[in-house]
């Protein structure tokens, strides 16, 4: 199996919603290495949009969670109305897909470790080896896809 070429995790959402707004995905170690950012395209601003809980596409600015202030505040408009949020540094985006994207490196590593452990278990448990090896096969196919090799 080849090595993963993606940026090692863990990842988290960062940025600021004040002044010159910016949202980016980066490592939360080693000096915040950028994983994904957004650039202006045409006359419209660039920001991610997510579909939380089947509510249709929602701009990230309406899903932002902030480092400072009431941790239950979600969205830039709500933060601007709440005096406890006095700085607009982003700590996350309140959308399940945003959480999944940020957790991708840890998920990759957990699946890699589980596949290795199941492969070892298959050699020790011949009665259930075929089922274990099928799971290992599926896990390795997913890991291959995540590395861009599928």
């Amino acid at each position: 199996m080849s090595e993963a070429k993606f940026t090692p995790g863990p990842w988290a959402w960062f940025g600021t919603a004040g002044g010159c707004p910016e949202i980016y995905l980066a490592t939360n170690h080693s000096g915040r290495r950028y994983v994904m950012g957004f650039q202006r395209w045409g006359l419209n601003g660039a920001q991610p949009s997510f579909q939380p809980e089947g509510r249709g596409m929602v701009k990230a600015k309406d899903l932002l969670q902030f480092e400072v202030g009431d941790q239950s505040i979600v969205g830039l408009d709500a933060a601007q109305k709440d005096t406890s949020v006095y700085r607009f540094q982003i700590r996350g985006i309140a959308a399940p897909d945003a959480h999944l994207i940020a957790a991708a490196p840890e998920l990759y590593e957990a699946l890699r470790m589980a596949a290795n452990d199941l492969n070892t278990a298959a050699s020790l448990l011949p009665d259930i080896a075929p089922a274990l090896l099928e799971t290992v096969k599926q896990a390795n196919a997913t890991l291959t896809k995540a590395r861009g090799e599928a």
Side-chain angles (χ1 to χ4, degrees), residues 56-75:
M57 295 302 285
V58 178
K59 292 179 180 177
K61 75 177 188 73
D62 298 323
L63 299 168
L64 299 177
Q65 299 168 306
F66 299 93
E67 288 182 359
V68 177
D70 182 347
Q71 298 294 288
S72 69
I73 298 293
V74 174

Side-chain angles (χ1 to χ4, degrees), residues 66-130:
F66 299 93
E67 288 182 359
V68 177
D70 182 347
Q71 298 294 288
S72 69
I73 298 293
V74 174
L76 178 57
D77 291 342
Q80 289 173 330
K81 293 174 186 171
D82 187 291
T83 57
S84 73
V85 183
Y86 59 88
R87 243 186 25 233
F88 297 105
Q89 271 64 43
I90 297 163
R91 69 174 172 84
I93 299 174
D97 291 337
H99 299 304
L100 180 64
I101 291 167
E106 292 98 331
L107 291 169
Y108 180 92
E109 185 59 20
L111 182 59
R112 187 192 65 73
M113 290 170 52
N116 286 341
D117 291 348
L118 287 173
N119 197 39
T120 300
S123 66
L124 301 173
L125 303 165
D127 293 345
I128 59 170

Side-chain angles (χ1 to χ4, degrees), residues 4-23:
K5 294 182 177 100
F6 57 78
T7 304
W11 298 347
W13 292 98
F14 298 100
T16 182
C20 183
E22 177 186 27
I23 299 172

